[in-house]
Amino acid sequence: MRLALAEIRRAKLRFGLLTGAVALLVFLILFQQSLAGSLLGQFTGGLENQSASVLVYNVDARGSVEASRILPSQLEAVAAIDGVASAGPIGESTFSARLASGELQDTTVFGYELDGPGAPTTLSEGRLPSGEGEAVASSGDASAGYAIGERLRIVPGDTEITIVGLADGVQFNVQPTLFVSFGTFETLVRSTNPDATGVLANLVGVEPTAGVDPTALAASITEQVEGVEAFDRATAVASVPGVSSIRQSFAIILGLAFVVVILLTGFFFLIITVQKIASLTLLRAAGASGGFLLGNLVLQVVLVIGAAIAVAVPLTVLAVSAASSSDFSATVEPKVVATTSIAIMLLGVLGAVGAMRRIARIDPAAATTRLVGGGLA
């Protein structure tokens, strides 16, 4: 350990530049992950954090909640499938809400039967709706006029909605989101479209009976009910139009950043190992074991990457806070930071394999040659 630290002290600039470069890469990775996670969460949270384990769409909707319409006969057929404990309609639409400040704000509204599937599962404050005209809002929008006790008016129609609870991570389509009773949802649709003769559900929310796998139940519903396509919750979230493209785009960027971490650490430690091969050979001839030299190399890698992570994490927190606004709230997840840090540490050690192999192949007898310096031959 003293050998590794001594070398770092003698080459502060060299190791400092490497640490700074790795810190920049770690910062970019964490920042991208935070933005991607927050964006996807606000894009699909309304589906991900509701209670229905299975969601049933019209077969032509292709995973789009807005494009899906479920007929009453299809809802009844779904409820009659073996393995379905409960099934209920879920409506979704975007309305203009007039806030207490007088501002008009596009707001996504989910309607569900209060005793059925579709309720928000991440309630953090207040309570769930217990009657008509009550709503749970996204906690991320509380400061923007959606706090508990606020009264909103949906226009046209001037229907009043009172917020009685807040739930974490339930935004949908990156908009303020409300969960109301299906009766309230029907009222809102009719108030904005007085000519509507009936209000169709966008989805059917399904809860399986105990012991029934949601994925298997979804496949059974798709097979037995004509004109519908059912997904378990995770598949429904992944099927939202645009989600796969966003994930793929960020995955490519993050993948390249991880590759650069491997290349950067690998080439750096390989170069300095080649430069000091004569000194390492003399140490081996003097009795230092190969394990001792390899341990010092691994320690240097861990210290450099550890220092880079220590610099990158607070920078990421500051950058994400600066990038957040009332329209887009991003957060740094501790779990993501921990898993990413471990992955980068392992990749850094993996990148130094080339340098490790050079050390492992050192022959102590080479110290007697002129090529090493000080040799007798």
Side-chain angles (χ1 to χ4, degrees):
M1 181 175 180
R2 284 183 295 178
L3 178 62
L5 294 176
E7 185 176 357
I8 292 176
R9 283 196 299 269
R10 287 196 301 268
K12 294 184 181 68
L13 179 61
R14 180 186 297 177
F15 282 92
L17 290 174
L18 174 64
T19 300
V22 176
L24 178 60
L25 288 171
V26 176
F27 164 75
L28 291 174
I29 291 171
L30 292 175
F31 186 70
Q32 292 280 354
Q33 286 180 321
S34 298
L35 291 184
S38 298
L39 177 60
L40 289 172
Q42 293 178 44
F43 198 52
T44 63
L47 285 184
E48 188 171 7
N49 295 312
Q50 53 77 42
S51 62
S53 298
V54 175
L55 294 165
V56 183
Y57 295 70
N58 184 288
V59 71
D60 296 322
R62 297 184 179 181
S64 171
V65 179
E66 291 83 357
S68 178
R69 295 293 184 274
I70 297 294
L71 299 175
S73 58
Q74 292 173 323
L75 173 57
E76 293 174 3
V78 169
I81 297 292
D82 288 340
V84 173
S86 62
I90 296 177
E92 185 273 336
S93 189
T94 298
F95 301 92
S96 292
R98 188 177 300 280
L99 308 182
S101 63
E103 176 188 359
L104 281 176
Q105 175 68 57
D106 287 343
T107 303
T108 298
V109 177
F110 279 94
Y112 69 100
E113 290 185 342
L114 298 184
D115 58 348
T121 57
T122 54
L123 192 71
S124 58
E125 188 176 349
R127 59 177 175 84
L128 293 174
S130 58
E132 304 302 308
E134 296 182 339
V136 167
S138 170
S139 58
D141 298 310
S143 60
Y146 294 82
I148 291 178
E150 294 283 359
R151 288 181 168 83
L152 317 176
R153 292 192 175 274
I154 305 300
V155 294
D158 219 27
T159 304
E160 185 176 271
I161 302 292
T162 301
I163 296 176
V164 297
L166 297 175
D168 296 332
V170 294
Q171 279 192 339
F172 193 70
N173 289 337
V174 199
Q175 289 184 154
T177 301
L178 303 177
F179 281 77
V180 301
S181 69
F182 194 78
T184 301
F185 178 79
E186 289 180 309
T187 300
L188 296 181
V189 173
R190 288 195 171 96
S191 68
T192 55
N193 184 12
D195 295 330
T197 57
V199 179
L200 296 178
N202 296 83
L203 309 171
V204 179
V206 175
E207 267 304 304
T209 55
V212 175
D213 179 59
T215 303
L217 180 59
S220 179
I221 292 172
T222 301
E223 181 181 352
Q224 296 183 51
V225 180
E226 184 178 358
V228 304
E229 187 174 20
F231 303 111
D232 62 272
R233 188 189 299 120
T235 304
V237 171
S239 300
V240 173
V243 168
S244 60
S245 298
I246 294 173
R247 284 180 173 163
Q248 287 174 3
S249 298
F250 277 105
I252 292 172
I253 296 172
L254 293 172
L256 290 174
F258 279 116
V259 170
V260 173
V261 169
I262 296 175
L263 295 176
L264 180 63
T265 55
F267 279 118
F268 175 85
F269 284 102
L270 180 59
I271 290 170
I272 64 171
T273 298
V274 171
Q275 290 176 342
K276 63 182 182 181
I277 197 70
S279 300
L280 294 174
T281 304
L282 288 173
L283 285 173
R284 286 286 283 120
S289 67
F292 171 77
L293 297 180
L294 287 173
N296 279 276
L297 174 63
V298 172
L299 178 60
Q300 287 179 341
V301 175
V302 171
L303 290 175
V304 166
I305 295 180
I309 293 171
V311 172
V313 171
L315 286 178
T316 303
V317 173
L318 291 174
V320 169
S321 298
S324 299
S325 65
S326 58
D327 296 322
F328 178 74
S329 176
T331 57
V332 180
E333 296 292 336
K335 182 179 179 180
V336 173
V337 172
T339 54
T340 301
S341 298
I342 293 171
I344 291 174
M345 186 69 74
L346 294 175
L347 289 174
V349 174
L350 178 64
V353 166
M356 294 179 193
R357 292 182 62 188
R358 292 299 295 264
I359 292 175
R361 290 202 304 263
I362 291 176
D363 181 6
T368 62
T369 68
R370 294 186 183 277
L371 294 178
V372 177
L376 302 176

